[in-house]
Amino acid sequence: MQKDFDIIIAGGGLSGLIAAIKLSQSFKVLIIDPDSYPRHKMCGEYLSLEVEPYLKSLGVDLSKLSSVTIDQFRFTRGLKSLETSQLPLGGIGISRYSLDYELYKKANENGTFLQGRVTDVNHIDNHFQVIVGKEVYKAKQVIIATGKRSVIDKKLERPFIFKKSPWLAVKMHYDYDMPDNLVELHAFNGGYAGLSRVETGKVNLCYLANYDSFKDYKDIDAFNKEVLTDNKFLKGFFENAVPTWKKPIAISQISFEEKEPVEGKLIMIGDTAGLIHPLCGNGMAMAIHSAAIAAQQVKPFLNNEITRDQMLINYSNEWKSTFSSRLRYGRWLQRILLNEKFTNIAYTLIERIPFLLPFIIKKTHGKPIAI
Ligand SMILES: Cc1cc2nc3c(=O)[nH]c(=O)nc-3n(C[C@H](O)[C@H](O)[C@H](O)COP(=O)(O)OP(=O)(O)OC[C@H]3O[C@@H](n4cnc5c(N)ncnc54)[C@H](O)[C@@H]3O)c2cc1C
């Protein structure tokens, strides 16, 4: 196999695949991921429509992948439910199984995919060496798209990796009757769960829970039965929903700490640059958007029009001006919705000022990505 590339992308999730599709139109790209496709992945699977035109420009037509359009939002806690509100832009329900597979096929049309795990990246004599097992690959620039946490974060000694994070997440698909155009967010003691339909007709239950509230229960089933059902709407869900997988997917140590979009001379995209709280439903759009920004900034560097340092400054500045305020609003929204006292005040406020919730949701989302 060829070993010398313009760009190597570590990680073939959403952000890595998008960067590979875009950059392989003009450059020699290698994308590396340990997974084979299709595969399920932790996610609420609500994709904001702000990415639709950009995906279309890459030849990915979302309307062909899913007919589930979601434009309504409902929040509940305990016995209470807020009035359903209109989502400012809306989204579609699409499984990561289908979406990532579609992108993977597209990325393979011009680029090269390698199944493997990147264990180290070194910058030597103005190029990069990327280590995958015993093999060494060479590139002019490397983009890190390895998601929430990886061995690369450890190698780079990124501060967030040394802090224990209390968050774990669980996901499962069910047969369940709910409106196609609705995404529901149900708070429970120590976490919240999202419910919405995906293109297969199944309903995705995906929740984030604090480890302290989870650790006293022997398994996910017990936790679901004992804790999630303190919310009467989730109780109703578990009484009627039929799981369609043998086992749920679960991950732990999900960190929402601030990160930097550039580390040393490496460009970080998607969750490696920053993870917005999942209740905002904007992580996938941010991953796609950050890949678009990276591709735009890398191009003039590879064409020898700007220096590497200039490219890194440009990327970092653009990333921060695009996403910093979204992340701030996301942290703020999570604090309010997870705190029982705040939630009650927020309930009263939102009931009195109906446009407040759509306004806050809008602040955690972006405008359609410029092509
Ligand atoms: C509970 C939960 C619910 C969510 N719900 C939603 C939602 O409804 N809507 C939404 O928009 N966002 C949601 N998100 C956020 C969204 O899932 C992420 O923001 C998005 O997947 C980020 O994409 P990414 O490319 O950065 O990372 P990922 O999609 O996680 O991809 C990272 C890839 O890197 C690979 N990798 C890891 N280590 C290495 C290595 N060493 N070498 C090579 N490859 C490696 C992995 O195998 C993986 O394929 C949710 C997140 C959580 C935690």
Side-chain angles (χ1 to χ4, degrees):
M1 184 187 170
Q2 184 196 344
K3 295 262 169 101
D4 206 342
F5 294 86
D6 293 320
I7 285 276
I8 293 181
I9 300 163
L14 271 186
S15 60
L17 289 167
I18 293 293
I21 295 170
K22 185 68 186 171
L23 285 163
S24 64
Q25 292 171 349
S26 321
F27 304 104
K28 264 195 299 178
V29 175
L30 174 68
I31 178 163
I32 307 169
D33 197 292
D35 285 350
S36 60
Y37 302 76
R39 45 93 178 102
H40 287 287
K41 190 145 191 66
M42 179 60 65
C43 192
E45 302 183 323
Y46 165 85
L47 176 62
S48 166
L49 278 176
E50 69 205 57
V51 299
E52 192 186 32
Y54 185 72
L55 290 180
K56 207 165 201 163
S57 77
L58 299 181
V60 180
D61 187 348
L62 287 178
S63 66
K64 288 200 177 125
L65 296 180
S66 173
S67 57
V68 179
T69 47
I70 299 173
D71 59 5
Q72 300 287 313
F73 170 79
R74 182 164 81 122
F75 178 73
T76 77
R77 174 185 265 284
L79 304 174
K80 274 189 169 179
S81 167
L82 281 174
E83 283 289 305
T84 303
S85 51
Q86 185 78 25
L87 286 165
L89 189 58
I92 67 160
I94 180 149
S95 68
R96 295 294 297 272
Y97 191 86
S98 296
L99 179 60
D100 290 25
Y101 187 41
E102 190 65 21
L103 299 178
Y104 162 75
K105 286 186 287 185
K106 199 100 211 139
N108 254 337
E109 282 172 15
N110 298 323
T112 308
F113 181 86
L114 173 72
Q115 194 173 359
R117 188 176 296 278
V118 175
T119 48
D120 208 354
V121 181
N122 302 306
H123 186 244
I124 300 167
D125 296 338
N126 212 24
H127 73 270
F128 288 91
Q129 283 187 343
V130 176
I131 318 294
V132 184
K134 289 187 180 134
E135 303 295 326
V136 181
Y137 298 85
K138 197 174 152 191
K140 292 183 189 127
Q141 182 61 42
V142 170
I143 294 178
I144 306 292
T146 49
K148 293 163 209 38
R149 59 172 54 228
S150 78
V151 66
I152 312 290
D153 297 311
K154 278 194 194 132
K155 289 270 174 191
L156 292 169
E157 302 188 347
R158 303 182 85 193
F160 83 90
I161 208 88
F162 300 109
K163 296 187 190 161
K164 254 194 161 330
S165 165
W167 295 107
L168 59 92
V170 176
K171 166 182 165 177
M172 176 80 142
H173 281 183
Y174 292 83
D175 281 320
Y176 179 66
D177 193 21
M178 71 178 279
D180 276 11
N181 67 336
L182 182 65
V183 59
E184 295 183 330
L185 200 63
H186 303 288
F188 55 86
N189 244 330
Y192 55 86
L195 273 184
S196 57
R197 198 176 296 285
V198 294
E199 82 290 351
T200 56
K202 307 297 173 201
V203 167
N204 180 352
L205 169 84
C206 186
Y207 65 78
L208 200 67
N210 194 299
Y211 183 70
D212 275 344
S213 62
F214 185 83
K215 67 179 189 310
D216 294 335
Y217 298 87
K218 75 174 191 325
D219 56 24
I220 289 170
D221 257 359
F223 186 68
N224 289 352
K225 276 191 198 110
E226 302 291 326
V227 179
L228 269 72
T229 51
D230 74 11
N231 178 312
K232 89 163 186 190
F233 304 91
L234 285 175
K235 187 165 187 283
F237 171 78
F238 283 112
E239 280 164 5
N240 294 295
V242 180
T244 58
W245 302 338
K246 279 196 183 123
K247 270 187 1 190
I249 302 175
I251 58 169
S252 61
Q253 289 283 331
I254 301 165
S255 171
F256 298 102
E257 293 285 324
E258 283 185 46
K259 300 174 184 171
E260 285 297 322
V262 169
E263 292 282 357
K265 296 188 182 305
L266 295 165
I267 288 180
M268 321 301 278
I269 58 174
D271 290 352
T272 33
L275 173 60
I276 192 163
H277 285 283
L279 56 74
C280 304
N282 202 244
M284 288 199 275
M286 281 180 57
I288 292 169
H289 197 162
S290 64
I293 296 173
Q296 196 187 24
Q297 300 301 344
V298 165
K299 208 170 171 180
F301 165 67
L302 290 178
N303 287 333
N304 296 317
E305 290 158 15
I306 57 170
T307 63
R308 188 193 308 282
D309 285 349
Q310 193 56 56
M311 166 189 70
L312 296 173
I313 292 169
N314 291 351
Y315 175 70
S316 178
N317 288 344
E318 180 132 12
W319 191 96
K320 286 179 181 167
S321 76
T322 310
F323 301 120
S324 295
S325 102
R326 246 184 259 192
L327 287 163
R328 230 182 0 262
Y329 272 101
R331 276 192 282 275
W332 186 70
L333 193 59
Q334 162 125 336
R335 267 202 292 275
I336 290 179
L337 294 185
L338 278 189
N339 179 305
E340 203 167 342
K341 210 163 94 196
F342 280 163
T343 313
N344 290 337
I345 299 169
Y347 259 112
T348 315
L349 267 176
I350 290 165
E351 268 164 1
R352 287 195 188 153
I353 317 169
F355 60 82
L356 193 59
L357 197 57
F359 173 79
I360 299 169
I361 294 170
K362 204 169 176 179
K363 290 285 181 193
T364 63
H365 284 64
K367 295 192 182 80
I369 306 172
I371 300 162

